[in-house]
Amino acid sequence: MLNCLYRHTGRLLRSASLLFVATGIVTTAPSLMLSAEFSVVSAAYADDDDGDDGGSDDGGSGNSGRSGSDGGKRFRGPQTLMDYLDNRRQIQAPRTRSTAKKRQQAAPVYEPRRLVALGLSDENIAQLQQQGFSVADRVEMRLTGAQLTRLQIPAKMSLQTARQRVSALVPDAVVDFNHYYQPEQTSALETETKPAPAACNGTDCTLMRDLIGWNEPQAGAATCTSLPKIGLIDTAVNPDHESLKQARLEIIRLSDDELPQSGTQHGTAVAALLVGAENSRAPGLLPQAELIAVDVFHGTKGDNNRATTYDLIRAIDLLAEKQVPLINMSLSGPDNLLLQKAVEAAAQRKITLVAAAGNEGPHAKPVYPAAYQNVIAVTAVDRNGNPYRRAVRGEHIDLAAPGVGVWTAASVSGARQKTGTSFAAPFVTAAAARLKAEKPDLDNRQIAEELSRQAKDMGKPGHDPVFGWGLINAQSLCTS
């Protein structure tokens, strides 16, 4: 009887929740004329980053990212209350069979039995080998001049103990777990169903560029003489997609060849947003630009893509060696000491790093690399300027860009709508490229400051945790 009553009560609560969502009021603003300040902030109710299943249909869907830990980037206000409420929500949430099953099948946060370390000498390695450690991989990190090492820990030793052992032996070394990072993408089972969008062909596929004035330069705007190289750290990219066949595209795979290749859905969509052919069904923002795409991900048994800290650092290092001044990272994961060092080293080389803010929800903790001090964190809005409902919020958010229902390439052929902060980041990367082309002497900090200064203020006046400094504004940039 009690079980029956519990089930009946649960159904009533779920029905009430659905009724509340269905009757919620969403305010909108004209897509072309965004006011400098929004008195009411309403969420854009749309899918998460698209769980593109590899087809060529012109359909829309979406997905969510992963959570990280605190640290790294500046915080302009306390977050204790939000963290408290978030923890209370997790504790009090009813644990259904489906949620329990999902928790059991949750992906691991870091590589088992492995650590990553920066700054171990040959002598240090020999000492560690005497204690049962072994070297799985080791390369020189050109950004710092130090050795980046992937260590296999001794049998029957925990990762935490192993980390403490290495740090005690070499206090100057930077040691951490080999954390996993994910593209902002979810499974098809979690993807909400949306009606197929209208067909989009050729130059009519505006990618919501009108929202930021991409094709509406101010009078007297200069012409971009030479666009800089753009780096992309993402999943695999399909070079045979019609939007990318003629692109100036170099693809490098860093992940172990023995591991399954990552899917092409996410990387192809982001690459096409940047450099897709102008006359294709998924035209890019900068079709003339050169793109170097580094695939750091590999497939897993659960049909997910993940990358390790080790490969992510190697990708940043590789692009720095190739003298790439701009890097787009539409991925997220936990805070990591070595990744933070790599970001700091890239910033010292004046490299502009742009990252998706993440799709964990407005009360989630910051994710990385977006939350690091030297990274431009990009959130997503819809065509009416409403914030994407699952975008991570916080004082580390820098800029907002279109990211709900963005038209871009499907993984095999054709195009479809995509949603999430992953697809907002390329708009800021493209704007930074135009600014760099117009003013090549600007360094990464100056580019971030200039883009923030030109942004259209949204939400509360000045910087706020929802929109950052506001919506990216491309009208004053040079035209390509």
Side-chain angles (χ1 to χ4, degrees):
M1 175 67 72
L2 286 176
N3 288 337
C4 181
L5 178 60
Y6 288 154
R7 287 196 298 270
H8 181 65
T9 303
R11 283 195 295 270
L12 288 175
L13 290 173
R14 286 192 294 272
S15 299
S17 298
L18 289 173
L19 181 61
F20 177 80
V21 172
T23 57
I25 298 176
V26 179
T27 61
T28 59
S31 61
L32 297 179
M33 296 296 292
L34 290 176
S35 62
E37 177 180 343
F38 283 77
S39 59
V40 178
V41 175
S42 55
Y45 280 77
D47 296 344
D48 289 331
D49 285 17
D50 196 284
D52 182 0
D53 59 4
S56 59
D57 293 341
D58 296 329
S61 57
N63 86 303
S64 75
R66 301 282 180 179
S67 64
S69 57
D70 292 325
K73 199 162 185 174
R74 61 208 179 279
F75 289 92
R76 300 180 181 85
Q79 307 217 3
T80 307
L81 177 60
M82 299 310 296
D83 288 345
Y84 171 77
L85 292 176
D86 187 55
N87 290 335
R88 290 284 295 173
R89 178 184 60 79
Q90 294 179 20
I91 292 171
Q92 296 178 354
R95 186 172 182 178
T96 62
R97 292 181 181 179
S98 60
T99 56
K101 185 176 181 181
K102 286 180 182 178
R103 288 177 185 175
Q104 292 174 359
Q105 296 177 348
V109 178
Y110 43 74
E111 185 182 21
R113 316 300 302 166
R114 298 281 172 86
L115 293 173
V116 283
L118 187 64
L120 297 179
S121 66
D122 292 342
E123 181 181 355
N124 299 147
I125 294 294
Q127 293 172 321
L128 288 169
Q129 287 174 333
Q130 291 177 356
Q131 298 183 29
F133 290 85
S134 61
V135 175
D137 292 291
R138 196 179 187 205
V139 295
E140 181 180 356
M141 187 176 169
R142 292 166 287 269
L143 272 171
T144 63
Q147 293 289 328
L148 176 64
T149 307
R150 188 160 155 254
L151 283 173
Q152 176 79 26
I153 70 174
K156 299 182 180 181
M157 181 182 290
S158 70
L159 271 171
Q160 185 62 42
T161 300
R163 179 182 173 182
Q164 294 172 349
R165 187 76 59 86
V166 176
S167 297
L169 178 65
V170 193
D172 293 335
V174 184
V175 187
D176 209 335
F177 304 135
N178 196 20
H179 286 112
Y180 289 134
Y181 295 80
Q182 291 80 27
E184 298 297 323
Q185 182 170 307
T186 186
S187 67
L189 292 177
E190 297 174 289
T191 302
E192 301 171 25
T193 302
K194 292 289 178 181
C200 179
N201 296 289
T203 56
D204 293 333
C205 310
T206 60
L207 301 141
M208 296 175 68
R209 285 178 281 196
D210 54 337
L211 186 64
I212 60 172
W214 191 261
N215 293 325
E216 300 172 1
Q218 292 179 348
T223 300
C224 302
T225 54
S226 179
L227 291 168
K229 293 179 183 178
I230 299 174
L232 173 63
I233 301 177
D234 213 293
T235 68
V237 174
N238 176 16
D240 295 323
H241 193 285
E242 58 265 31
S243 295
L244 297 173
K245 282 183 178 180
Q246 304 302 321
R248 299 169 63 194
L249 174 63
E250 179 183 358
I251 301 174
I252 303 170
R253 188 186 183 202
L254 278 190
S255 190
D256 191 336
D257 289 338
E258 295 181 359
L259 295 172
Q261 185 170 341
S262 62
T264 60
Q265 298 95 329
H266 196 271
T268 301
V270 176
L273 263 176
L274 289 167
V275 298
E278 188 172 5
N279 60 350
S280 70
R281 298 184 67 194
L285 295 160
L286 301 171
Q288 290 81 31
E290 179 181 354
L291 182 68
I292 302 177
V294 185
D295 174 14
V296 295
F297 288 85
H298 62 270
T300 66
K301 292 181 179 179
D303 198 27
N304 295 316
N305 296 309
R306 68 186 182 201
T308 64
T309 303
Y310 184 79
D311 286 336
L312 188 50
I313 293 173
R314 289 172 60 207
I316 295 173
D317 194 51
L318 174 64
L319 291 171
E321 184 185 23
K322 289 180 172 290
Q323 299 182 333
V324 175
L326 303 165
I327 299 177
N328 187 98
M329 297 179 287
S330 293
L331 51 87
S332 66
D335 185 13
N336 184 280
L337 294 174
L338 278 77
L339 179 58
Q340 183 177 1
K341 286 290 183 183
V343 165
E344 291 172 352
Q348 290 175 0
R349 293 279 188 94
K350 313 303 181 186
I351 297 173
T352 298
L353 301 169
V354 179
N359 306 323
E360 289 303 89
H363 303 305
K365 293 180 180 180
V367 294
Y368 298 84
Y372 287 129
Q373 175 72 42
N374 296 296
V375 177
I376 300 176
V378 184
T379 189
V381 298
D382 68 5
R383 64 176 60 255
N384 295 315
N386 298 317
Y388 173 45
R389 62 166 176 148
R390 294 187 182 179
V392 173
R393 300 181 182 184
E395 299 299 334
H396 64 290
I397 300 299
D398 292 301
L399 292 166
V404 176
V406 176
W407 191 268
T408 187
S411 58
V412 177
S413 63
R416 60 192 296 156
Q417 285 183 318
K418 303 274 187 173
T419 293
T421 59
S422 280
F423 309 108
F427 285 88
V428 174
T429 300
R434 278 191 174 182
L435 184 58
K436 185 73 173 176
E438 183 180 359
K439 302 176 181 179
D441 294 333
L442 294 183
D443 62 23
N444 57 316
R445 186 174 296 276
Q446 292 170 324
I447 287 175
E449 290 174 351
E450 185 69 12
L451 291 177
S452 299
R453 185 186 65 80
Q454 295 177 3
K456 295 180 181 178
D457 194 14
M458 301 172 70
K460 296 179 180 180
H463 185 277
D464 68 74
V466 179
F467 302 102
W469 293 107
L471 182 67
I472 191 75
N473 179 12
Q475 286 186 310
S476 61
L477 301 175
C478 65
T479 58
S480 56

